[in-house]
Amino acid sequence: MKGVCGLAFLQAIKQYLKQIDLLLLVLSLLATGFGVVLIASATKSYGSESYVQIQLIAAAVGLLLFFLLSVMDVESLCGIWKVLYVLNLLLISSLIFFGTGAEDTGNRSWIRFGGIGVQPAEVGKILFILTLSGHIYSLKDEITNFSSLIKLLIHAFLPIVLIVVVSGDLGSALAYLAIFLIMIFCAGVKLRWFACGIGITAAAAPFLWTLLRADQQMRIRVVFNPELDPLGRGYHAIQSKIALGAGGIFGRGLGGGTQTQYGYLPAKQTDFIFAVAGEELGLIGCLIIMALLTAIIIRCFVIANRSGDSPTSLVCIGVGGMMLFQTIENIGMCIGLMPIIGLTLPFFSYGGSSVLTVFWAIALVSAAKMRASKRLY
């Protein structure tokens, strides 16, 4: 009997491994492993291994989440999008009572339990993708109607405005906005509505600018001229570009970066992990990071295409769009082309919430692939 049970178990494991997206999982693990190596080097000067230990624990929990969540029925989750939407709003609103953050940023984006921190807006990205997928699919026959567009705009802007008002986290708010725009574009919203949105935004820009805090305005201004605040908001961009330039093609070797190891590069294990790679592993290291993330993003869109006309397809688009925006924004701010808004580099930056979010995200994509495979056979 034990032999039969063992054989059945092995058969189930074999069948499971055939159905999940092993390519996506392997790429994600390679990126995570590379990120741990960079974090270990970036935090070497701190004399503590806690960063590496926390990242490894988060990656292990994330891998477990992948195995558990990759068998979920994503379509059913999208079906209860109204419940998940309210849950996401409550999750973000919890920052009103429990939010904490760094004094230098002015953001209150974290909820901390002892030494453990959770970023509700980070976890909420996945809930946002699921709810938006369900809502869009429920309107699929009327997606081009003005009334449908208004409903979707309300759907998106409630959590976005709530994030800005409650936590002041402009980075997460822009990530939500990017996910929304990518998803509705792929869902079939006409380009004329995007043109109208661009026109309205341009007209409202002077007013919107006055709503930003002085430090938020400076984050944007220093993109064009870091010397406006070389010891403040411009300092990050200046040091990041110095680190990237110093690395050359092959870098100075792990643990050998001057900007990284002597503390000149701020937020080196989180927001500026790409600059660490550039200084210590050079252009080659940066290209490997970009290749891994590009492959993961393309894989998400490939599975979206194979999922056909379904909510799971929209979920894959949302996940791919989320990673695409964060990758462009994070690398862009490291090379001085984008404002510094505190967005992490998926899989590579230090942070438990970030790691768990991306593993949850790829679990949903893998689940979509499994459902698509079952439809084919």
Side-chain angles (χ1 to χ4, degrees):
M1 180 63 73
K2 289 183 179 179
V4 173
C5 292
L7 186 61
F9 177 75
L10 290 175
Q11 190 65 27
I13 294 294
K14 184 178 179 180
Q15 186 66 23
Y16 170 77
L17 293 176
K18 281 184 178 180
Q19 291 179 337
I20 66 169
D21 195 326
L22 273 178
L23 176 59
L24 183 60
L25 179 59
V26 169
L27 288 170
S28 301
L29 289 175
L30 286 173
T32 303
F34 194 177
V36 170
V37 171
L38 291 174
I39 291 167
S41 182
T43 58
K44 179 182 177 182
S45 59
Y46 296 160
S48 171
E49 296 181 354
S50 62
Y51 294 94
V52 174
Q53 292 170 354
I54 291 173
Q55 193 75 353
L56 286 173
I57 291 172
V61 175
L63 184 60
L64 178 61
L65 278 178
F66 175 89
F67 289 131
L68 292 175
L69 299 178
S70 60
V71 297
M72 293 186 68
D73 186 349
V74 180
E75 212 162 311
S76 296
L77 285 176
C78 294
I80 58 169
W81 67 267
K82 293 180 180 179
V83 175
L84 296 179
Y85 186 73
V86 173
L87 177 62
N88 195 19
L89 292 179
L90 290 174
L91 188 63
I92 297 170
S93 299
S94 67
L95 290 169
I96 297 174
F97 307 101
F98 309 109
T100 61
E103 293 181 2
D104 59 335
T105 64
N107 296 345
R108 299 177 68 251
S109 307
W110 296 86
I111 296 176
R112 300 195 180 276
F113 308 93
I116 300 175
V118 177
Q119 196 171 4
E122 186 73 21
V123 178
K125 288 176 188 174
I126 308 301
L127 294 176
F128 182 69
I129 290 170
L130 289 169
T131 59
L132 191 57
S133 298
H135 196 175
I136 290 173
Y137 194 72
S138 70
L139 299 169
K140 63 174 183 174
D141 296 328
E142 305 170 348
I143 192 69
T144 58
N145 294 349
F146 179 73
S147 59
S148 297
L149 187 59
I150 293 298
K151 291 175 183 177
L152 293 175
L153 283 170
I154 294 172
H155 183 124
F157 279 92
L158 277 179
I160 290 173
V161 171
L162 192 59
I163 289 171
V164 174
V165 172
V166 171
S167 67
D169 187 355
L170 186 60
S172 292
L174 288 177
Y176 276 60
L177 179 61
I179 291 168
F180 170 70
L181 293 175
I182 291 170
M183 289 181 69
I184 63 170
F185 173 76
C186 293
V189 172
K190 300 297 183 182
L191 286 175
R192 64 173 178 268
W193 293 120
F194 287 92
C196 289
I198 292 172
I200 293 171
T201 302
F207 172 71
L208 295 174
W209 179 259
T210 61
L211 296 179
L212 297 176
R213 300 193 309 264
D215 64 301
Q216 292 173 331
Q217 292 179 354
M218 185 58 70
R219 288 184 189 183
I220 298 173
R221 294 174 65 192
V222 295
V223 172
F224 305 100
N225 184 9
E227 298 301 328
L228 286 173
D229 191 13
L231 298 179
R233 292 297 175 191
Y235 180 83
H236 298 65
I238 292 171
Q239 298 305 318
S240 178
K241 288 190 284 187
I242 291 174
L244 286 165
I249 296 178
F250 300 104
R252 295 180 167 181
L254 288 171
T258 303
Q259 301 297 115
T260 299
Q261 300 304 327
Y262 289 92
Y264 296 110
L265 182 65
K268 54 187 179 179
Q269 73 273 18
T270 52
D271 297 356
F272 291 93
I273 196 71
F274 187 78
V276 174
E279 182 177 30
E280 300 194 342
L281 298 178
L283 177 63
I284 301 299
C286 290
L287 289 177
I288 292 173
I289 290 175
M290 293 170 69
L292 283 170
L293 288 172
T294 300
I296 291 169
I297 293 165
I298 290 175
R299 187 62 181 167
C300 290
F301 290 131
V302 167
I303 296 173
N305 184 57
R306 292 178 180 175
S307 298
D309 183 17
S310 67
T312 55
S313 176
L314 291 169
V315 170
C316 295
I317 289 169
V319 170
M322 176 187 75
M323 294 189 185
L324 176 63
F325 175 74
Q326 287 195 207
T327 298
I328 292 174
E329 168 57 34
N330 184 275
I331 294 176
M333 71 185 194
C334 286
I335 62 178
L337 295 179
M338 300 290 279
I340 298 171
I341 54 176
L343 280 179
T344 56
L345 188 63
F347 297 104
F348 289 91
S349 293
Y350 168 78
S353 294
S354 177
V355 171
L356 293 178
T357 298
V358 292
F359 270 96
W360 183 8
I362 64 166
L364 294 177
V365 175
S366 183
K369 187 250 185 183
M370 292 175 69
R371 303 290 289 188
S373 298
K374 289 178 180 178
R375 282 196 293 267
L376 290 175
Y377 294 102

